[in-house]
Structures are given as structure tokens and as C-alpha cells.
Amino acid sequence: DCFAYVNNEHDWIKDLDPAWTGMDYEMTCNIERTDGYCPGNAWWDGSGINFCLDGLGYGNTGRMADVVYHEYGHGITDFLYGPNDPPGVLHEGNSDIVANLILRDSIMGLGFYIGNCSSGIRDSDNTLQVPCSGSGHYCGQVIAGFHWDSWQEMLAAYPQAYADSVIFNTWHYCRKMGLPRTMAGQVQWTLGADEDESSFATGT
């Protein structure tokens, strides 16, 4: 499962930006761990990803596509930003976003709790706003919600292929161009990545 998900995500980001080589290496993926942050967890360690065996009411995180995509997403952010990593709220929120976009689902962590395959652990389809107080995982849902809501508006107005292209590319290139360090900054850079007249005043 992890092999398939990781390669799928690598192909996805390379389709968006063929020239970017940040994730072009053989990544170590440790599965069915019982140590570290386990059970009920998964993590990016700076060069590879780690997933826990099921236990104590938690599912096997290496079997969950969205969790794998989320952890690999931390790698995308790490290598995109270089030594100047963004705050945790952007790290976590953007890792949720990449999973949302690939799976076309706002819910994160389906199956995380054994016996519950409907609610997950987070949802990018939310009404959270800034200021937000809480963990990076919780408040990251604000920026994830911005991209999710924008995508849904685009899908309602345009053909899927066009809406996907705009949202996928503005998400990636807003970060690559601006390296935003706040949620407001990421929103501004997203608008800038889609602006073709050097001015927001026209509304295009």
C-alpha cells in the first residue's frame, strides 16, 4: 500500500512541476512500527515516513492513503522551503491539502479509529477561521479549508479538468514562488499565482 501511494504522490507532484526535483529520491518508508509515536500515529522524520501497526483502537496508518499522502506532503513542504520551514500550522494544513486533492475527499484519516470509517480525524470542509487557537493539526484546517472551498466553487462553475488544473497549480506554485509563512500570506500568493494582469483590482 505505502509503495503504491508514495509513487502515486510522487507522480502527481511531478506532473504539476516536472522541473522540481526535491522529492526525486528513493524514500525510506517504515511500516507496522510499534515504537516511537505508536500506536495511532504516523510521521515524517526529515527524509522518510513512518507508520504504526494497528492497536489500542487505532488502525494501521500505513494502510490509509490519506495518512500516507499527508506524511509525504511534509516532505514536499520541507524540500520546497529548504532550511526555512514554515510554521507547523502551514506544514500540517498543506499536508492535509495534498491528500484532499489527490483523493478528492475533504476528510482526513478515514479508518484511523477502528470501527469508524466515516468521520476521520479532520475535515477540510469546515467553518474554522483565523485567529485560531489550537494545535497545528487543528488550525491547519483553516488553510486547508480555503483551498477546499475554492476548489468546490471552481468545480461548480467550470469543467472538472479546468478546475483541477487551476487549484492544483495555484496550490503548488503559490508556495514555490512565495514561500509564505502565514495562512494569510498563502491566500495572497494563491491569488497571485492565478493573476494574469498584475493587479487584483479587475477581479480576474
Side-chain angles (χ1 to χ4, degrees):
D1 294 319
C2 288
F3 180 85
Y5 299 147
V6 165
N7 278 279
N8 184 53
E9 187 164 1
H10 178 262
D11 291 346
W12 183 84
I13 196 70
K14 291 297 286 186
D15 284 344
L16 287 181
D17 190 355
W20 187 60
T21 60
M23 299 295 279
D24 291 352
Y25 68 97
E26 294 183 4
M27 180 180 291
T28 300
C29 180
N30 298 301
I31 63 170
E32 298 189 344
R33 293 188 64 158
T34 57
D35 60 339
Y37 302 106
C38 297
N41 220 319
W43 65 96
W44 162 255
D45 63 19
S47 62
I49 47 182
N50 301 269
F51 303 96
C52 298
L53 186 66
D54 58 294
L56 299 180
Y58 301 106
N60 184 331
T61 53
R63 302 295 300 273
M64 302 170 198
D66 50 5
V67 174
V68 178
Y69 292 148
H70 174 98
E71 297 307 334
Y72 188 96
H74 281 300
I76 293 174
T77 297
D78 259 2
F79 288 110
L80 194 65
Y81 275 74
N84 300 308
D85 250 6
V89 66
L90 285 182
H91 240 298
E92 299 300 343
N94 281 292
S95 286
D96 280 0
I97 290 165
V98 70
N100 298 155
L101 297 179
I102 294 173
L103 290 173
R104 313 188 73 86
D105 194 333
S106 68
I107 298 176
M108 276 296 306
L110 289 172
F112 187 80
Y113 300 107
I114 292 176
N116 180 349
C117 292
S118 58
S119 61
I121 53 178
R122 291 186 296 280
D123 194 343
S124 297
D125 185 5
N126 64 69
T127 58
L128 295 174
Q129 300 180 11
V130 290
C132 176
S133 60
S135 69
H137 282 111
Y138 179 77
C139 290
Q141 292 175 105
V142 176
I143 193 64
F146 163 74
H147 287 277
W148 180 262
D149 289 349
S150 300
W151 190 23
Q152 300 317 296
E153 293 291 333
M154 291 286 292
L155 287 167
Y158 299 103
Q160 179 179 309
Y162 177 74
D164 288 356
S165 177
V166 170
I167 296 300
F168 294 4
N169 280 282
T170 54
W171 170 74
H172 174 66
Y173 285 98
C174 83
R175 301 193 321 136
K176 185 177 182 182
M177 292 188 305
L179 301 178
R181 302 191 59 79
T182 65
M183 289 190 280
Q186 182 161 327
V187 170
Q188 291 175 327
W189 274 100
T190 300
L191 298 175
D194 194 47
E195 176 58 55
D196 59 3
E197 295 179 324
S198 301
S199 171
F200 293 156
T202 60
T204 59

